[in-house]
Amino acid sequence: MSILVPLLLTLLVRSGCHTATLLHTSIFLKESIRLLDELLEAKVPCDKMNVTNVFAGDKQDNDLETLCKATTVTWEGRSCHRHLEGIHLNLLSLLRRKSRVYKAPCPVPGGSTTSLGDFLLDLRRALHRLVKGQSLK
């Protein structure tokens, strides 16, 4: 009976940490979506700029790898609009919380490109999907 109380306390603390981590993840994702919405509404002149299309291809990347690559693209385009720096920082924070494997800047292979505007739309869709599933693994 005496071991039951510490065990229950440990389980309670761990579940609280998991809930806090999910809450932080959700906040970073939602804030990034809000910034993307504002950026897409602003119609910045550099939205036609070519960037690497990290969402193209055979979709073998996991969510964290894709976010890591998106972090690199947002860093490279940050001079376009101040919101891109905020999005970059949010994605970087998510990576640091969720992965010890992926460290930004992630290498982004050359090849397929897209406009910055289309990249931002794809990123917003990906973040919406992650918010719904909370599946950053």
Side-chain angles (χ1 to χ4, degrees):
M1 183 89 143
S2 63
I3 199 165
L4 185 60
V5 172
L7 178 63
L8 288 174
L9 286 175
T10 302
L11 290 174
L12 183 61
V13 168
R14 284 183 179 234
S15 70
C17 290
H18 180 68
T19 301
T21 300
L22 285 177
L23 181 61
H24 286 293
T25 299
S26 179
I27 289 170
F28 285 125
L29 289 171
K30 288 178 181 178
E31 175 64 11
S32 295
I33 291 168
R34 185 189 66 76
L35 290 171
L36 282 165
D37 288 342
E38 288 180 15
L39 186 58
L40 288 165
E41 284 178 18
K43 298 288 184 200
V44 293
C46 56
D47 70 344
K48 301 288 185 218
M49 173 176 78
N50 280 339
V51 297
T52 304
N53 190 354
V54 299
F55 299 103
D58 55 13
K59 305 294 182 200
Q60 288 185 7
D61 293 348
N62 64 35
D63 291 335
L64 285 172
E65 186 173 357
T66 301
L67 282 183
C68 192
K69 290 177 181 178
T71 302
T72 302
V73 174
T74 57
W75 177 255
E76 292 169 352
R78 73 190 182 286
S79 63
C80 171
H81 197 280
R82 64 183 171 84
H83 282 346
L84 277 174
E85 189 166 353
I87 293 164
H88 168 77
L89 292 173
N90 285 342
L91 295 178
L92 190 60
S93 295
L94 281 170
L95 278 176
R96 287 181 179 155
R97 288 180 179 275
K98 294 292 189 177
S99 176
R100 302 218 187 278
V101 175
Y102 300 107
K103 304 286 185 203
C106 282
V108 180
S112 178
T113 62
T114 188
S115 69
L116 179 63
D118 287 342
F119 166 80
L120 297 174
L121 286 170
D122 288 340
L123 180 58
R124 185 175 63 176
R125 275 190 288 274
L127 296 180
H128 272 292
R129 182 179 50 77
L130 292 173
V131 165
K132 288 179 183 174
Q134 287 292 315
S135 65
L136 278 177
K137 295 176 184 160

